[in-house]
Amino acid sequence: MGDVVRGPVRVSVPATSANLGPGFDSLGLALDLRDELEGEVLAQGLEVEVHGAGAEQVPRDERHLVVRAMRVAFEVLGVEPPGLRLTCHNVVPHARGLGSSSAAIVGGLALARALVTDGAERLDDQALVALATRMEGHPDNVAPAVLGGFVISGTDDDGRAYAVPSAVAPDLETVVLVPADPVSTEMARGLLPATVPHAEAAADAGRAALLVAALAGRPDQLLRGTRDYLHQHYRRPAMPASLDLVEALRSDGVPALVSGAGPTVLAFVGVGAAVPAEAVLARCPQGWTAHHLAVDRRGVLVV
C-alpha cells in the first residue's frame, strides 16, 4: 500500500465533446476548457469547496461526484485517508453536453492517484479509463478527458473498455455555442428509439469512418463526415433551438453538430474551413455563451 502525499495536490481536466455527429457513444474529443481541482489528505473529516459552474447545485458531502471518484481510486490503491479537503474550480458548464460529469470523474480519480506516492505506477491511464468508464457507464467522454485529443472508444463483448487515440490535424479548432438552459443526458437518451432502420445505421457507419479521416487532415470532408443519422434529429423536442442552429450552420457549409447529448452546438473551424471562426462566433444566439477552443492534446494533468 502506498503512502499519501503531504500537502495539497492539483489536477486539471479538459472538457470533452462526444458523438461528434455520427460517432454515437464511440467518438470523443478533448477541448481546451479546463476544470481545476485541489485535494489534500487531512487528519479527519471531509471539506468540500466549489467555485464556478454548478456551484449552486452540487452537494458538499460524500455525494459529490469528485469525492465519489476519489473514493473509488483510493479503494483500488488500498488507501483509506482519514480525512479529505477538496476544492473545485469549475469552468466546464454543467448539463450542456461538454462532459462535466466525465471531467468530475476523471479529475477525482486522477486527484486520488496523485495523492498516493506510487499511485501513478499502480494505476496507469488505461486503468484510469477503465475505472472512469465503470462510473460513467460508457467511455466516449472519459477517454479523451484522460488521454487528450481525439479518441475512439467502446466496450468489448466482455464489458472491458477500450480507448484508441487517433490523429487530429494540428490546425483544427472548434467553436462551441452554449445555451443558457441545460438538458439532462437521461432525458436526451430517453428520446432515442430502441431500433433504427438498417440503411440509416449503414450510412452512419460510413460517415463515422469518414470523420476519422477528416479530423486527421481532410478538412474538405468534415461537413460530410459530421452528418448524423442516429440520434440528433430524435432529440429535437428537447433542444429545438440547438438543432435549428446546427441545420442553419450546415446549410452555410459549417461542419456543425450537437455536442454530446446537447444542447451545446459545436462547429469545426480552422485552416481550410469554409467559414472563419469569427463568423461562427457571430452566429451565437442571444443569451448563449460562445467559446473558441483549441483541441486539448494533453488530457488530465497534475499541475
Side-chain angles (χ1 to χ4, degrees):
M1 182 177 77
D3 296 324
V4 296
V5 173
R6 293 187 179 183
V9 169
R10 298 177 184 87
V11 302
S12 171
V13 59
T16 52
S17 180
N19 298 333
L20 301 179
F24 182 68
D25 279 2
S26 60
L27 302 183
L29 188 70
L31 303 174
D32 194 17
L33 187 70
R34 289 181 159 264
D35 285 349
E36 293 191 358
L37 314 175
E38 180 177 288
E40 185 175 9
V41 174
L42 304 178
Q44 61 180 4
L46 174 64
E47 302 173 12
V48 179
E49 188 176 338
V50 183
H51 306 277
E56 300 82 10
Q57 291 85 33
V58 298
R60 303 296 202 274
D61 53 24
E62 292 285 348
R63 295 171 298 162
H64 193 285
L65 188 53
V66 174
V67 176
R68 287 159 49 197
M70 293 178 75
R71 298 297 190 199
V72 168
F74 282 135
E75 182 179 1
V76 170
L77 292 168
V79 175
E80 189 173 353
L84 286 175
R85 178 183 63 81
L86 170 67
T87 304
C88 303
H89 297 277
N90 295 338
V91 177
V92 181
H94 285 209
R96 299 300 197 282
L98 287 169
S100 60
S101 63
S102 295
I105 290 169
V106 170
L109 294 172
L111 192 58
R113 179 176 71 175
L115 282 167
V116 178
T117 53
D118 61 348
E121 289 73 31
R122 295 198 289 128
L123 192 63
D124 64 14
D125 283 349
Q126 288 295 331
L128 210 67
V129 169
L131 281 179
T133 300
R134 192 175 80 192
M135 292 190 67
E136 178 79 343
H138 39 83
D140 53 336
N141 279 112
V142 298
V146 174
L147 303 173
F150 173 49
V151 183
I152 304 164
S153 63
T155 53
D156 288 322
D157 292 340
D158 60 4
R160 294 185 182 182
Y162 62 85
V164 181
S166 188
V168 183
D171 51 10
L172 186 74
E173 299 174 347
T174 70
V175 168
V176 294
L177 306 173
V178 186
D181 296 324
V183 171
S184 75
T185 300
E186 291 75 16
M187 183 178 74
R189 279 191 173 271
L191 293 171
L192 299 180
T195 60
V196 296
H198 187 276
E200 291 186 1
D204 206 75
R207 300 303 174 106
L210 180 61
L211 181 56
V212 174
L215 291 174
R218 289 294 305 271
D220 60 305
Q221 296 299 320
L222 277 170
L223 183 63
R224 181 179 288 120
T226 50
R227 170 71 162 93
D228 161 63
Y229 295 83
L230 286 186
H231 64 101
Q232 290 184 157
H233 61 288
Y234 293 112
R235 289 169 163 166
R236 176 176 285 280
M239 54 195 90
S242 297
L243 268 297
D244 287 347
L245 182 56
V246 166
E247 291 170 3
L249 288 169
R250 292 185 65 84
S251 69
D252 291 337
V254 179
L257 48 92
V258 173
S259 181
T264 291
V265 172
L266 179 145
F268 287 111
V269 296
V271 176
V275 179
E278 294 73 18
V280 179
L281 289 164
R283 301 282 291 273
C284 184
Q286 185 174 4
W288 293 33
T289 304
H291 303 275
H292 184 187
L293 301 175
V295 175
D296 176 87
R297 300 169 191 273
R298 302 168 296 168
V300 67
L301 297 171
V302 178
V303 296

